[in-house]
Amino acid sequence: MSKTSNPLGLSRRRALQLSAAAGVVSVFPGRRVFAQAASTYDLVIDRQSMMIDGHRSPAITLNGSVPGPTLRFIEGGEAIVYVRNNLSEDASIHWHGLLIDPAMDGVPGFNGYTGIPAGGTFTYRFDLRQAGTYWYHSHSGFQEQAGLYGSLVIESNKREPFRYDRDYVLVLSDHTDEDPSGIFQNLKTEDGYYNYRKQTLFDFFQDAREQGFGAAWDDRMAWGSMRMDKTDLADVTGYSFLVNGKGPKDNWTGLFTPGERVRLRFINASAMSIFDVRIPDLPMTVVAADGLNVRPVKINEFRIGTAETYDVIVLPEERPYTIMSEPIDRTGYARATLATAHGMEAPIPALRPRTLLTMNDMGMAMGGMDHGSMAGMEGMDHGSMAGMDHSKMGGMSGMNHGAPVGGNTMSNPDAPDAVANPPSEMTDSMGGMDRGARERASANQAAVGWADAGTLPGEKALAYADLRSVTTNKDTRPPTKDIEIRLDGNMERYIWALNGERYAYAEPIRVAYGDRVRLRLVNTTMMAHPMHLHGMFVELEDDTGANKALKHTVLVPPGKEVSVLLTADEPGEWPLHCHLLYHMAAGMMARFIVESKTASL
Ligand SMILES: [Cu+2]
């Protein structure tokens, strides 16, 4: 039995005192001098159970808890982590987002690493080359889904560009009582097994009333003939959504004193969930993305892909606040509370409508798909795509009966999704309502299109285009190499692949040391894929200047392309994969090899 432990709600002063104990020598008052002493941790992996909202659930624990302990380090030092694996199977721990010696990256089958044998131990030793919010998790089988994950915080050895008085880690995750390998089997054998929210006939008549019968029918037929489900935002449901291992009833609570600036380090450690996160009535300022500082962005909510992290700073007043994290398919929620005393709580807002994908979201999935490249998809069932013949598409592009869905956007995938923005008169009329009324009014509006989280009019949701690095990019050369990574899938047969090949069959992607590369992540599917590259950061191309935001995980929306730049300056064999656990397991992974310095001479 495990009791989950709260990451300590440390005041910054206390955190630094602890840091001092862990290898910082303070010589001058007000100035920190960092010794090169190592910080060490012991981790023990066990199969136990955990309590979630009063029910017992099987889990894999680290030091008896889910998530595992928050490991705190100081930038510039060395980390030593001793791991004991008490499972009856091999395990592993990967340090997500760290610049690291490839031998310590912790992915079995890469860089000569073979995992931690059943009943055995492994010692990780690596230099701490960066600061920020990161996490660690198993890279073996489905252990991550069962609980083998935790947070990792590296304190900066420089002055931070923002100020805060209190520091909390919020690890978001999805937990299931089921055996994860059983889930994977079900996904592979039964289409839509976990999708309880298929559109119903009732939905159809509702649509028909709003859009006109013709439009609703055409839309329905189009989706039907593609044999894709427009509500297939997530393919596993039945999860409990957790914050720091606590269910919504357990209500993880972070305390604050009014007037304090509170830093919240959000980590999406779920196996399969993408969350929309907000704190009603408490604006947030985003100060870091994927561990690295960004220019402050004031927002009301953000969408966090699996494996991404965001640090925000809030200034709560003397009252409780609900931290609400809704998965995009709205099958539940994770909830936590900020309060001035334990036991206080704020109202929990109603779940907003799940997003319905539109034909506009299909951009790349349809327009960018040439059948020649599809033919390369080893083992793929072309049947599901074959339904998408061009006469049908012709019919859809004519589908403009004043319908809010699709129509001529088909021919221009980049056209702004007009329906994502409510008409201005609605915005205006809602402006006068209080928040509760606005929430209720908004809940009755369908969120249409991937980009729309159901954000209230007048409120701001974070977009990648808002992110700018605080530090100037080290390498501003234009790319000399363009690598297309197509994210492919067949939902019916649960085959997920990169460039048409499942991992087991794919050739590695090779670049020379020092290469400046553009990776074009082209999503041909109707799901978002959080693409993660180990060992290096990539730069988002939203900025044309030298402050491109750096990311280790990039959420690629359905049917869209996201391009990123990369300087290949970390030699090694790095996994490049979708961070949805079952997609990776199904084959959505590649080996990205950066040749050693000498190899290119
Ligand atoms: Cu994926």
Side-chain angles (χ1 to χ4, degrees):
M1 150 72 209
S2 84
K3 194 82 173 71
T4 52
S5 70
N6 292 348
L8 304 169
L10 297 175
S11 73
R12 180 158 167 79
R13 188 183 302 130
R14 180 69 186 129
L16 289 174
Q17 282 166 358
L18 285 181
S19 302
V24 184
V25 183
S26 190
V27 180
F28 305 102
R31 198 166 147 216
R32 290 179 283 150
V33 175
F34 294 85
Q36 291 306 303
S39 309
T40 63
Y41 285 95
D42 291 290
L43 294 178
V44 181
I45 304 170
D46 275 302
R47 199 172 281 280
Q48 293 180 316
S49 63
M50 65 188 292
M51 295 300 288
I52 300 171
D53 287 347
H55 89 270
R56 189 174 294 275
S57 187
I60 296 179
T61 59
L62 275 156
N63 296 1
S65 77
V66 174
T70 297
L71 309 185
R72 285 188 178 256
F73 297 108
I74 310 283
E75 181 186 10
E78 188 188 27
I80 302 178
V81 185
Y82 303 101
V83 186
R84 166 164 290 283
N85 173 17
N86 285 342
L87 304 181
S88 55
E89 67 199 55
D90 285 10
S92 59
I93 290 181
H94 157 64
W95 312 97
H96 186 104
L98 294 201
L99 302 168
I100 198 168
D101 170 0
M104 293 289 139
D105 189 46
V107 182
F110 284 75
N111 303 298
Y113 177 77
T114 52
I116 312 167
T121 61
F122 188 86
T123 302
Y124 288 95
R125 235 189 143 107
F126 48 89
D127 294 332
L128 297 154
R129 297 166 51 191
Q130 67 211 93
T133 303
Y134 303 93
W135 63 297
Y136 58 92
H137 61 81
S138 167
H139 231 290
S140 303
F142 302 101
Q143 292 165 3
E144 179 199 309
Q145 169 81 91
L148 217 174
Y149 51 82
S151 54
L152 191 161
V153 172
I154 308 173
E155 293 276 352
S156 177
N157 61 9
K158 299 170 213 58
R159 192 188 177 86
E160 294 194 280
F162 43 84
R163 198 172 59 74
Y164 56 97
D165 309 294
R166 204 179 277 265
D167 184 355
Y168 289 111
V169 174
L170 289 100
V171 177
L172 305 177
S173 64
D174 47 17
H175 194 85
T176 172
D177 296 347
E178 288 181 60
D179 170 17
S181 51
I183 292 178
F184 189 62
Q185 282 313 312
N186 286 336
L187 287 167
K188 284 179 70 139
T189 52
E190 259 184 85
D191 170 38
Y193 184 94
Y194 286 98
N195 187 350
Y196 303 126
R197 312 197 69 160
K198 290 204 185 290
Q199 281 227 319
T200 61
L201 206 57
F202 172 82
D203 292 330
F204 171 68
F205 284 112
Q206 179 104 359
D207 286 359
R209 201 162 52 234
E210 285 160 18
Q211 303 168 11
F213 184 80
W217 181 254
D218 285 359
D219 188 37
R220 199 72 35 151
M221 291 315 284
W223 284 99
S225 66
M226 284 180 288
R227 299 215 239 139
M228 288 170 169
D229 191 312
K230 99 192 228 192
T231 62
D232 257 333
L233 289 164
D235 41 13
V236 182
T237 50
Y239 280 130
S240 299
F241 299 101
L242 312 180
V243 178
N244 295 334
K246 304 281 188 194
K249 289 200 197 98
D250 290 335
N251 189 23
W252 180 89
T253 299
L255 299 183
F256 66 91
T257 305
E260 282 182 332
R261 298 167 63 87
V262 183
R263 177 180 191 164
L264 304 174
R265 301 171 184 263
F266 286 94
I267 299 168
N268 186 348
S270 65
M272 290 299 283
S273 302
I274 296 164
F275 293 99
D276 289 320
V277 181
R278 64 201 166 116
I279 310 175
D281 294 322
L282 187 60
M284 300 178 265
T285 302
V286 178
V287 294
D290 286 5
L292 302 180
N293 295 336
V294 294
R295 291 184 189 157
V297 192
K298 254 197 128 168
I299 54 151
N300 300 96
E301 64 178 274
F302 59 89
R303 177 166 290 178
I304 185 169
T306 313
E308 290 185 302
T309 77
Y310 286 109
D311 290 33
V312 306
I313 289 183
V314 293
L315 284 108
E317 293 170 12
E318 186 161 11
R319 46 157 285 194
Y321 296 88
T322 296
I323 303 171
M324 182 78 175
S325 304
E326 302 169 271
I328 55 171
D329 66 352
R330 307 293 192 245
T331 51
Y333 59 94
R335 171 231 194 176
T337 295
L338 284 178
T340 53
H342 278 289
M344 295 175 76
E345 52 180 46
I348 299 171
L351 283 182
R352 297 181 298 190
R354 68 189 187 278
T355 297
L356 294 182
L357 298 180
T358 67
M359 290 302 163
N360 185 33
D361 290 312
M362 298 277 303
M364 206 60 68
M366 308 197 68
M369 203 181 78
D370 78 75
H371 291 117
S373 67
M374 287 302 290
M377 292 196 71
E378 188 273 331
M380 283 236 162
D381 173 13
H382 296 214
S384 68
M385 285 293 184
M388 210 177 76
D389 66 45
H390 290 106
S391 60
K392 283 266 170 29
M393 289 179 65
M396 279 163 18
S397 55
M399 191 186 87
N400 197 0
H401 320 276
V405 182
N408 53 14
T409 56
M410 284 291 299
S411 54
N412 181 6
D414 294 320
D417 196 344
V419 293
N421 303 310
S424 58
E425 58 269 28
M426 191 184 102
T427 311
D428 294 345
S429 68
M430 285 176 83
M433 299 181 201
D434 66 20
R435 169 173 270 280
R438 279 189 294 147
E439 295 256 5
R440 283 189 296 280
S442 167
N444 292 325
Q445 302 288 327
V448 184
W450 162 261
D452 186 4
T455 308
L456 291 184
E459 298 207 334
K460 160 83 183 148
L462 180 72
Y464 275 3
D466 299 323
L467 298 173
R468 292 289 178 280
S469 172
V470 166
T471 51
T472 308
N473 301 141
K474 282 197 212 104
D475 188 356
T476 53
R477 290 177 295 159
T480 53
K481 203 177 237 178
D482 218 271
I483 301 178
E484 183 184 88
I485 313 271
R486 233 177 36 251
L487 321 183
D488 295 316
N490 177 311
M491 287 166 143
E492 271 189 82
R493 293 191 41 210
Y494 217 74
I495 293 171
W496 298 96
L498 296 178
N499 288 338
E501 291 285 6
R502 285 175 288 167
Y503 174 65
Y505 305 92
E507 281 294 312
I509 299 163
R510 287 174 191 277
V511 296
Y513 178 83
D515 267 358
R516 183 75 171 151
V517 178
R518 172 180 285 119
L519 296 179
R520 292 195 297 108
L521 304 167
V522 182
N523 188 349
T524 70
T525 78
M526 290 308 296
M527 289 187 74
H529 301 283
M531 297 301 299
H532 172 47
L533 176 63
H534 290 221
M536 285 168 286
F537 282 87
V538 298
E539 302 159 24
L540 297 178
E541 284 205 276
D542 294 282
D543 181 23
T544 51
N547 290 87
K548 295 179 176 67
L550 301 170
K551 303 270 293 148
H552 51 56
T553 305
V554 176
L555 185 59
V556 188
K560 292 286 190 289
E561 171 178 337
V562 175
S563 87
V564 296
L565 299 179
L566 168 76
T567 300
D569 56 0
E570 298 283 341
E573 298 173 356
W574 304 110
L576 167 66
H577 63 92
C578 176
H579 220 285
L580 300 178
L581 183 61
Y582 301 98
H583 290 193
M584 180 177 70
M588 207 165 194
M589 176 154 92
R591 188 180 296 258
F592 190 94
I593 298 178
V594 180
E595 308 283 7
S596 66
K597 284 188 203 186
T598 48
S600 55
L601 292 177

